[in-house]
């Protein structure tokens, strides 16, 4: 340790003093490593292609959460599952990790046909060198745009087209992607809230019946939530609620 400390002290003094004094040799047996960063020109096209692919992968990974949340079915699914938990009034059961994980895998299930088409028509031909990068991006976005446009309401799409100042599009292909994405997200939120409202109705009826019964019996100090919670859980289990919710969510995607 003393030799390391002495070596570091010598290097620090040499750097501070500058080149005006002769360099001090490092102690024997403890070589000082040389670190250098070189940027050389590529000699083969494959080197440029590999670097661009690495850059593309890092870029996609950095924006992957936003892509999964705003350009897939994840938003609708996770919002509806949150409504179900709030309607049951079970606090943190199921936990957030379980709801997000279930929503994520349901998203993979819903988006599997779209991603398979993207892989077959864009990714694999690009990796094989059959198409260019621009063509691969354009071809890969078509299935995703078709999915988003099927779920987007015309009113929401017209809102963002009007706010962007674009002329009225003649075909769906004339709508830019930066207009489709927020319109799709807005439509997903509205659909999720509509489904959540329908989910709340039966549990709201149970709360009202229990509250009215307790008031008629004069039990004003007894919280209705303590009595209604077991009945709501029992009803949800008897009708196989998770199966019904999952089935309704999957069928809601056209």
């Amino acid at each position: 340790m003393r030799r390391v400390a002495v070596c570091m002290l010598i290097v620090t003094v040499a750097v501070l003093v500058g080149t005006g004094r002769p360099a001090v040799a490092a102690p024997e047996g403890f070589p000082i490593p040389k670190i250098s960063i070189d940027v050389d020109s590529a000699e083969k096209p494959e080197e440029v292609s590999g670097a661009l692919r690495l850059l593309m992968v890092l870029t996609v990974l950095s924006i992957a959460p936003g892509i999964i949340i705003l350009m897939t079915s994840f938003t609708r699914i996770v919002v509806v599952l949150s409504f179900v938990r709030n309607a049951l009034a079970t606090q943190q059961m199921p936990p957030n990790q379980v709801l997000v994980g279930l929503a994520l895998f349901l998203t993979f299930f819903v988006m599997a046909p779209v991603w398979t088409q993207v892989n077959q028509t864009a990714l694999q031909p690009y990796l094989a060198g059959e198409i260019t990068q621009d063509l691969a991006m354009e071809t890969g976005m078509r299935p995703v745009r078709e999915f988003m446009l099927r779920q987007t309401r015309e009113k929401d799409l017209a809102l963002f087209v009007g706010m962007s100042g674009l002329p009225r599009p003649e075909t769906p292909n004339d709508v830019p992607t930066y207009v489709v994405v927020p319109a799709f997200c807005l439509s997903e939120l509205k659909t999720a809230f509509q489904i959540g409202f329908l989910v709340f109705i039966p549990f709201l009826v149970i709360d009202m019946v229990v509250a009215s019964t307790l008031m008629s019996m004069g039990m004003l100090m007894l919280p209705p939530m303590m009595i209604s919670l077991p009945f709501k859980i029992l009803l949800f289990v008897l009708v196989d609620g998770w199966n019904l919710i999952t089935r309704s969510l999957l069928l809601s995607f056209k």
Side-chain angles (χ1 to χ4, degrees):
M1 295 298 296
R2 291 182 178 179
R3 297 183 63 183
V4 174
V6 171
C7 180
M8 295 300 298
L9 180 61
I10 294 174
V11 173
T12 305
V13 172
V15 172
L16 294 177
V17 173
T19 59
R21 295 187 178 183
V24 180
E28 183 179 358
F30 189 82
I32 299 177
K34 178 182 178 182
I35 301 175
S36 61
I37 300 176
D38 298 331
V39 180
D40 299 330
S41 59
E43 299 179 357
K44 299 179 181 179
E46 292 78 6
E47 298 179 1
V48 180
S49 177
L52 291 178
R53 289 182 183 179
L54 178 60
L55 179 61
M56 183 183 300
V57 170
L58 294 177
T59 303
V60 171
L61 289 177
S62 63
I63 63 176
I67 294 176
I68 295 177
I69 293 174
L70 299 180
M71 298 179 64
T72 64
S73 58
F74 181 83
T75 300
R76 182 189 305 185
I77 294 174
V78 74
V79 170
V80 171
L81 293 180
S82 299
F83 269 116
V84 173
R85 185 177 65 181
N86 292 334
L88 287 171
T90 53
Q91 302 299 327
Q92 294 298 322
M93 296 300 296
N96 290 330
Q97 295 86 344
V98 175
L99 289 185
V100 173
L102 178 59
L104 190 61
F105 279 95
L106 288 178
T107 300
F108 292 158
F109 181 83
V110 173
M111 300 299 297
V114 177
W115 290 341
T116 300
Q117 188 176 356
V118 171
N119 180 60
Q120 294 176 351
T121 60
L123 183 59
Q124 294 302 325
Y126 172 71
L127 295 179
E130 299 175 359
I131 58 177
T132 62
Q133 180 179 349
D134 294 338
L135 183 58
M137 291 292 295
E138 181 181 355
T139 307
M141 281 300 299
R142 288 176 186 172
V144 180
R145 283 172 51 89
E146 291 176 359
F147 171 80
M148 291 191 295
L149 288 172
R150 284 198 305 268
Q151 314 302 325
T152 305
R153 292 178 173 83
E154 294 184 3
K155 181 179 180 181
D156 298 329
L157 194 61
L159 169 64
F160 288 96
V161 171
M163 294 299 294
S164 61
L166 297 173
R168 182 173 181 177
E170 299 293 336
T171 61
N173 295 330
D174 298 334
V175 183
T177 303
Y178 70 87
V179 174
V180 177
V181 173
F184 166 75
C185 185
L186 192 63
S187 298
E188 288 292 282
L189 286 175
K190 183 176 181 179
T191 303
F193 272 72
Q194 290 175 344
I195 299 176
F197 173 76
L198 297 177
V199 169
F200 257 96
I201 291 179
F203 301 107
L204 180 62
V205 172
I206 294 178
D207 288 334
M208 294 176 63
V209 170
V210 171
S212 300
T213 304
L214 293 178
M215 290 183 61
S216 63
M217 297 176 62
M219 299 180 179
L220 301 179
M221 301 301 295
L222 181 63
M225 187 64 63
M226 295 181 59
I227 307 300
S228 63
L229 180 58
F231 287 100
K232 290 192 289 187
I233 296 178
L234 178 62
L235 173 64
F236 195 72
V237 172
L238 290 178
V239 300
D240 199 2
W242 291 114
N243 184 281
L244 291 177
I245 293 297
T246 303
R247 178 182 175 86
S248 301
L249 280 172
L250 296 179
L251 292 178
S252 66
F253 294 96
K254 304 176 183 178

